[in-house]
Amino acid sequence: MCAVSNVSAQHQVRPINTVTPGWMRAPGENPCAFGLEVAMDELAYALDIDPLELCLRNWADKDYQLDLPWSSRRLK
């Protein structure tokens, strides 16, 4: 999740039959994240900055909807 003021997102945990991810960027990464990662890479390319720099510039240090800190965000 990124710190973007004009975006609202929700998520829920649901038991589903999923495939095992393989070549994604992190262990246990959801295969559905592939499209978002590609879009972020393309945006970084268009802005002529490193994709990790784009991620760090939009880093969300807390859940802005609940105004609570994340319990396990350690990417930085």
Side-chain angles (χ1 to χ4, degrees), residues 1-12:
M1 305 296 284
C2 293
V4 180
S5 61
N6 62 345
V7 173
S8 175
Q10 295 180 0
H11 68 276
Q12 298 175 348

Side-chain angles (χ1 to χ4, degrees), residues 17-73:
N17 184 14
T18 62
V19 298
T20 303
W23 53 273
M24 302 305 285
R25 292 184 178 182
E29 181 70 27
N30 186 327
C32 299
F34 171 73
L36 179 59
E37 290 294 328
V38 169
M40 293 294 284
D41 288 346
E42 290 179 355
L43 178 60
Y45 179 80
L47 296 172
D48 195 28
I49 61 174
D50 183 76
L52 182 56
E53 176 64 24
L54 177 63
C55 183
L56 292 174
R57 286 185 187 184
N58 293 288
W59 181 257
D61 56 351
K62 64 180 180 177
D63 182 332
Y64 287 92
Q65 291 179 340
L66 299 176
D67 198 30
L68 295 172
W70 299 112
S71 62
S72 62
R73 297 281 310 251

